[in-house]
Amino acid sequence: MSDREFDVLIIGGGPGGLACGQYSARAGRKTAILEEMACGGQTMIIDEIENYPGLGTISGFELSSAFESQAVKFGCEIIYATVEEIVKNEDKSFTVKTSDGDFKALAVVISTGAKHRNLGVPGEEKLRGHGVSYCATCDGPFFKGKKILVCGGGDSAVQEANYLTKLSDNITVCHRRDRFRAQSAVVKALEDTGKATFKMNHNVLSINGDSKVTSVTFLDKTKNEEYTEDFDAVFVFVGNEPQSQIVPFAELDKSGFIVTDNRMRTSVEGLYAVGDVRNTPFRQIVTAASDGAVAAHDASEYIDELKGNAY
Ligand code: NAP
């Protein structure tokens, strides 16, 4: 095999990709992860992770680094390049076209994760970076002691609001429904800080300000009333969009997540998907890591069959 040919190429170095890289390399498969920026994915920007089994509380940076060094230790290569196209060849192999030239592989694992969704209201785009943020760990410290609004009702919104209570006693969480989607333990942890107030059944209509966020206009759906309240910053956590555009030829669900079976196989032979980009009911670091291990195992068996080594 040339240095551009692999048994398994993994696209994306988040927890799913890194776990897959570790398992695949350890199983003796020539494996590489193609990563655009830095390994770790969205895990990198999480301040504290307290639900990864066996590790107590750990920062996202520490956990990502540990995943990466363990994959590398077993021989998985990390190649920094942007994937532009994936082509399935007639001989069943794949050509992965990147900013650093073409690579070939017998199996490809998509681990491209998901990117944050926008709220989609007036003012959001204009004030992005001027009080509108999508990352509490990155931008929270700029708003120490300030009045902060967090939008969203999932685990990310509630967990990140909890992080922001370390920086300000004045946190408001705004959710469009009357119940959180977030796990109850995550909600309770935020309530227990005593530093957050909740606007349930509220829509954000606009984020206001000329050069920085100064206020937010809401619709209180219970009272059917519009009103405006002063805020210094708005943190938006309203879910994620799957990064599945790179495999338009694979079956996607109606939200764009890649459809897999329980071995992480997609609709295309030799193509796997793991972690947040696939249609999984529960998106956690531990489930992404598990997906990675399962995909590596199945890809290894698939490669044995291709090479005629199956027993
Ligand atoms: P999510 O679970 O999809 O929640 C998105 C939230 O945003 C929902 O409450 C949704 O409201 C709301 N929303 C969506 N579009 C909106 C809009 N246009 N305007 C206002 N609100 C809107 O996303 P997530 O919180 O980012 O979590 C993603 C995945 O990661 C989940 O599977 C989650 O469990 C996981 N995660 C886990 C942890 C943890 O275990 N500690 C931490 C972070 C994330 P509705 O509820 O009305 O749909």
Side-chain angles (χ1 to χ4, degrees):
M1 269 188 188
S2 80
D3 63 354
R4 294 202 156 247
E5 290 177 330
F6 291 87
D7 290 320
V8 180
L9 269 177
I10 299 159
I11 320 295
L18 289 166
C20 187
Q22 175 195 313
Y23 269 76
S24 179
R26 189 165 178 268
R29 298 300 174 190
K30 190 178 175 202
T31 304
I33 295 173
L34 287 161
E35 167 57 49
E36 210 168 12
M37 303 208 300
C39 284
Q42 297 198 78
T43 303
M44 282 278 276
I45 59 170
I46 301 174
D47 177 51
E48 278 184 0
I49 295 160
E50 60 172 22
N51 59 358
Y52 194 85
L55 295 181
T57 299
I58 186 167
S59 75
F61 179 79
E62 273 180 287
L63 184 58
S64 305
S65 305
F67 266 61
E68 182 178 347
S69 51
Q70 202 164 348
V72 169
K73 182 183 120 187
F74 285 112
C76 176
E77 285 181 47
I78 315 268
I79 299 168
Y80 292 95
T82 302
V83 173
E84 289 157 358
E85 195 184 356
I86 300 171
V87 179
K88 174 94 177 163
N89 302 312
E90 278 191 6
D91 66 359
K92 294 193 173 182
S93 70
F94 293 87
T95 299
V96 179
K97 302 184 174 194
T98 80
S99 54
D100 187 32
D102 291 359
F103 294 88
K104 273 192 94 175
L106 297 176
V108 168
V109 181
I110 307 298
S111 170
T112 42
K115 277 208 175 122
H116 72 78
R117 187 181 288 144
N118 292 340
L119 201 48
V121 297
E124 180 182 18
E125 206 51 52
K126 183 178 91 173
L127 295 167
R128 181 190 293 249
H130 302 279
V132 173
S133 171
Y134 304 84
C135 175
T137 331
C138 319
D139 299 327
F142 294 120
F143 301 99
K144 217 166 182 180
K146 301 283 188 185
K147 191 171 175 196
I148 298 173
L149 179 73
V150 175
C151 301
D155 283 326
S156 297
V158 177
Q159 187 170 304
E160 297 305 301
N162 196 339
Y163 167 72
L164 290 166
T165 62
K166 294 179 194 168
L167 302 170
S168 169
D169 294 348
N170 209 341
I171 307 296
T172 303
V173 180
C174 162
H175 181 34
R176 65 184 178 184
R177 284 193 294 137
D178 58 356
R179 299 175 70 192
F180 280 114
R181 180 179 293 274
Q183 301 165 81
S184 48
V186 178
V187 176
K188 184 170 184 312
L190 175 62
E191 286 169 346
D192 287 350
T193 66
K195 294 179 179 176
T197 53
F198 299 94
K199 289 183 188 294
M200 305 304 280
N201 252 327
H202 272 60
N203 284 350
V204 169
L205 297 180
S206 65
I207 303 172
N208 314 314
D210 290 329
S211 55
K212 61 178 187 165
V213 171
T214 52
S215 67
V216 174
T217 303
F218 299 95
L219 171 65
D220 178 339
K221 295 199 283 186
T222 311
K223 296 180 181 162
N224 198 24
E225 257 175 35
E226 284 185 25
Y227 68 98
T228 298
E229 188 173 324
D230 288 351
F231 282 97
D232 300 301
V234 179
F235 284 81
V236 178
F237 301 103
V238 293
N240 296 300
E241 308 280 357
Q243 297 301 292
S244 54
Q245 303 83 343
I246 197 71
V247 285
F249 48 86
E251 184 187 349
L252 307 179
D253 71 10
K254 63 179 181 355
S255 306
F257 292 93
I258 303 172
V259 175
T260 68
D261 64 11
N262 62 6
R263 297 182 188 193
M264 309 306 138
R265 296 180 296 195
T266 71
S267 58
V268 179
E269 195 184 19
L271 183 74
Y272 296 79
V274 301
D276 285 6
V277 75
R278 81 174 188 95
N279 66 333
T280 173
F282 197 39
R283 294 189 172 83
Q284 301 279 297
I285 299 169
V286 69
T287 56
S290 161
D291 287 358
V294 172
H297 179 71
D298 200 84
S300 192
E301 287 189 347
Y302 167 73
I303 289 167
D304 268 339
E305 273 169 35
L306 273 188
K307 290 182 173 175
N309 295 337
Y311 51 89

